[in-house]
Every structure is written in structure tokens, then in C-alpha cells.
Amino acid sequence: MNNRLILSIAIPALLTTLLVVMSLAITVGAANINWQTVWQIVIVELPYIHQWIEPSWSDSTETIVLDIRMPRVILAAIVGAALALAGAIYQGVLRNPLADPFILGVSSGASFGAALVFAFGFQVVWLGQFTLPVVAFMFGFGTLMVVYFLARIGQKVRMETIILAGVVVQAFIGACLSLVMALANEQLQTIVFWMMGSLTLTDWSYNQIVLPIILICSLIALFYARELNMLGLGEEVAHHSGVSVERTRFYLLILASIMTGAAVSVSGAIGFVGLVVPHIIRLIVGADYRLILPLSIFGGAIFLVGADTLARVLMAPRELPLGIITAFLGAPFFAYLLRRTKREYF
């Protein structure tokens, strides 16, 4: 089948699956609310519909559905899509199927910034409640710039060098993060829970911050599908095909890291989404990034919404860190992928 036919079948199927998973996620939870009531609350918010439905639920029930569950489910979809798309880009640029959005230290940098906010409680006046995501994002992006500067030799950046630079910077930031945690005292538990991934701090304002950033970066990234295909064939082939290798690689790393930093700034460090989802898509549809990029967006959203729902309901009313669920789901696949890669290369 050609790409257009595959997309015309796969995208509606994945979109339908996403809507079903999101519907279930909004319906289930620690609070026992009938699914009909949930959807009446949602539908009554639509224009021209409220006059046809007589509210039969309490204000607290409406608050749970509209102000707690819905923004969280939508943010899970946004973060999952961002991490999966970033993972697909990193795997393409670095030509490494084991690459993920955290390989260049963006996650570590964002976690360090968030830990500083939690531990010392400082707040930028004009940012208010958005101090945490903004500081986390800036530290994550700053980490990428440091890694890229360290890896740059003359006018070129070799992939082996940038990965090693990422490892070195992550180790240093990890030490700084450990120092902050040692000094945190009362806030230690909050920092640890956030680092393991969580959407508990979610409200509609976080969606409004993150969605435009990730949407713009995603749209730009989709236009680089051909260049990613060329990079996958090698630098010389890409260069002779008219691709500016260094410039394209830099732009793609920036796009992927901005998406990763934005996602991590509101959700904490959630592993395996960017590793597992793009590779599953690749196994199903092949190595064409004109298919991998758009399908990874939907696949990542489905994966993380489902994982977050499990995190909420498995031990309700207690909530598990989201990163634990994604690790349990992703680690077995990572082990399989690692053995498969060893057989191919060795």
C-alpha cells in the first residue's frame, strides 16, 4: 500500500482509539460517578446543548469531571504525543533505534530546575503558578545547548560525540540534583514523586501553556520527514540529495528537545514513551518517516492516556507515579529491542 492509503486508514483508526481511551479515562476514577452522568456533564458544556439537559448532579461531581479529570486526560494525550514524536525524531537523527527523548539530558536539566523550585520554594512574581513549568523548561533547554556546545568540533557535530556529551552532562546534573534532594528536607517526597512522573498538578492553565508549543513544533517536524528519511541512508547520501545535514540535524534536535522540555516541565520525567511507541510504529509500517512521525503522535497519546488511567485506578484512592506504569509497560519491550539490535549488529 502507498503512504496516503496507509495514513487514510491508520489515522482514523488511531484517532477513534484515542477518543475511546480518553472517554474511558474521564469516566473511571476513585470517585464513583456513573458514566452517563460524566457525559451529561461534558455534553452540557457544548454550545446550545445546555438548555436541553436538566442538571441532576452536584457541583462537586461537576468539578471532578471538568476541572480534575478532563484537563489531566487531555494533558496526558499532549505529553504522550510530544514524547513519542520527539523519540521518533531522535531515533532518526541519531540513527539509533534505542535513542529516546532523554538521551541528551533535557529531562535531567528540567528535573534539576523543578527540584530547585520545589526545594527552595522561590517563585517569579510575574510568572506566578507557572514558575515551575517555565523554570523546568528553561533548564532543560539550557542543558541541550551545553551538550551541543560540548559536542561541537569546528563546524561539525558527530553523533557519537553528542551522545557522549549527553551522558557526561546528565551525570553532572544528576550529582547536582542529588545535592538539592539532600538539602530539600520537607520537599524531598514531592521532588521524588515529580521525578517519577506525575500529572497530579494539572489544571487547564497547564494545557494552555504546553499545547501551543508542542503543536507548533509538531507541525514543523512533520515537514522534515523527507530529510529524516535521507539522514537514515547516511550523511553522504543525504548531502548528495540536497539536504543540509548539519543545519537539518540541529533544527531537528532543537525541535525534539523543545517538545521534550515542554512535556517534562508539566509532567516530570516519564520514560519509555519516546522509545517504545516510535519503534512499534516502525515495526508495523516500516522505516518511512512520512508515516512514523504522524502515527507516533497518536500512538504516544494513546499510550500515555492509558498508562495514566492505570496509575489512577490500580491502587485507588492512592495514586502510583506515572513513570512506574510506563516503565512496567516499556521495560520488557526495551529488553526485546536490545536483544534484537544485538543480533542485527553483532
Side-chain angles (χ1 to χ4, degrees), residues 303-321:
F303 181 84
L304 201 61
V305 171
D308 185 55
T309 304
L310 289 176
R312 287 191 292 115
V313 303
L314 281 180
M315 297 183 66
R318 290 185 60 187
E319 181 174 319
L320 292 172

Side-chain angles (χ1 to χ4, degrees), residues 250-321:
F250 178 73
Y251 289 162
L252 286 170
L253 288 176
I254 290 292
L255 282 173
S257 298
I258 289 175
M259 286 189 287
T260 301
V264 171
S265 71
V266 296
S267 66
I270 301 173
F272 291 100
V273 181
L275 171 67
V276 171
V277 174
H279 209 81
I280 290 176
I281 299 296
R282 188 180 291 106
L283 291 175
I284 295 173
V285 302
D288 192 338
Y289 278 90
R290 291 173 295 182
L291 299 175
I292 292 173
L293 295 184
L295 297 184
S296 291
I297 293 174
F298 291 100
I302 293 168
F303 181 84
L304 201 61
V305 171
D308 185 55
T309 304
L310 289 176
R312 287 191 292 115
V313 303
L314 281 180
M315 297 183 66
R318 290 185 60 187
E319 181 174 319
L320 292 172

